[in-house]
Amino acid sequence: MTGRVMRVVNAHPTALTIDALVVQAGDIVLDMGCGTGDALDALARKAGSGVVYALDQSDAMLAVARKRHARRIRAGSIVLNHGNFAALPFADASFDRVLASNVIYFWKDPTAVLVEILRVLKPMGRLAVYATDGTDMAKWSFVKHGTHTLYTEAALDRLMATAPGSARFRQQRVAVGWGIHGLIATLDRSPG
């Protein structure tokens, strides 16, 4: 049930974040915090002959993603992984693109997760992060239970400033419907 509700609410923000990721044919992509796999088909289409790796910390979400994307999994264009965001089970410089849509709220140590993402991101690779603006989210009752870390533009700027090495960061505030705004941050890793 939770997965179905998230799929509807997050469809537009996820599409905007995928656009910001600028996936090219042949790219190796990581969908970090893939949930039930809502972004996987769009990422696989854009990556073409590339491969989309999906990682989540929830076995229940991965089970749904496995059923939804069985054909692409059998073909090898999507690979599902269970893992910890702060200790990614991938080699250094494995990915051309990393998508983190609606998952940053759950990073217990966001700086450690950002370091891990940059470790697995290839030189000249791109990270795209989406978070609903914390100013809007603060009004929602379910976030008052301490399950989500809220991000305003300033808070997301501060986190991205902790990125190791030379990386170029940009952020934009976007309208995502129903009077709600989101933040899309892209971080481009330097060439060397």
Side-chain angles (χ1 to χ4, degrees):
M1 174 74 167
T2 301
R4 278 187 237 134
V5 171
M6 289 170 54
R7 187 176 309 135
V8 172
V9 172
N10 294 332
H12 184 58
T14 298
L16 291 173
T17 311
I18 290 170
D19 287 346
L21 198 57
V22 191
V23 176
Q24 304 293 313
D27 278 351
I28 306 302
V29 181
L30 173 60
D31 182 359
M32 195 166 134
C34 66
T36 61
D38 296 340
L40 296 180
D41 276 334
L43 291 170
R45 280 192 305 275
K46 288 179 180 288
S49 62
V51 179
V52 177
Y53 289 80
L55 178 97
D56 207 277
Q57 297 181 147
S58 166
D59 287 323
M61 293 290 187
L62 286 170
V64 174
R66 192 169 290 109
K67 287 178 185 172
R68 287 180 68 196
H69 302 287
R71 183 182 59 79
R72 287 191 190 270
I73 291 168
R74 281 191 305 274
S77 62
I78 292 176
V79 178
L80 299 184
N81 297 271
H82 183 270
N84 182 323
F85 300 143
L88 296 173
F90 306 108
D92 294 357
S94 295
F95 299 100
D96 299 290
R97 300 287 188 258
V98 176
L99 177 73
S101 184
N102 276 303
V103 69
I104 192 171
Y105 323 112
F106 308 112
W107 296 352
K108 290 182 176 42
D109 183 346
T111 301
V113 174
L114 187 57
V115 167
E116 269 297 276
I117 292 170
L118 291 175
R119 178 186 66 77
V120 302
L121 193 62
K122 293 178 183 178
M124 297 179 55
R126 174 174 280 190
L127 162 66
V129 175
Y130 172 83
T132 299
D133 190 314
T135 307
D136 291 339
M137 274 185 92
K139 301 170 190 168
W140 303 340
S141 62
F142 71 88
V143 300
K144 295 182 175 146
H145 302 291
T147 56
H148 294 65
T149 299
L150 304 186
Y151 285 88
T152 61
E153 290 177 79
L156 192 53
D157 278 342
R158 281 192 301 276
L159 172 61
M160 293 299 166
T162 68
S166 59
R168 192 175 68 231
F169 163 68
R170 278 174 268 156
Q171 181 181 169
Q172 62 180 325
R173 189 169 189 262
V174 295
V176 295
W178 307 289
I180 299 167
H181 292 88
L183 308 172
I184 297 176
T186 57
L187 190 70
D188 294 322
R189 191 164 170 210
S190 64

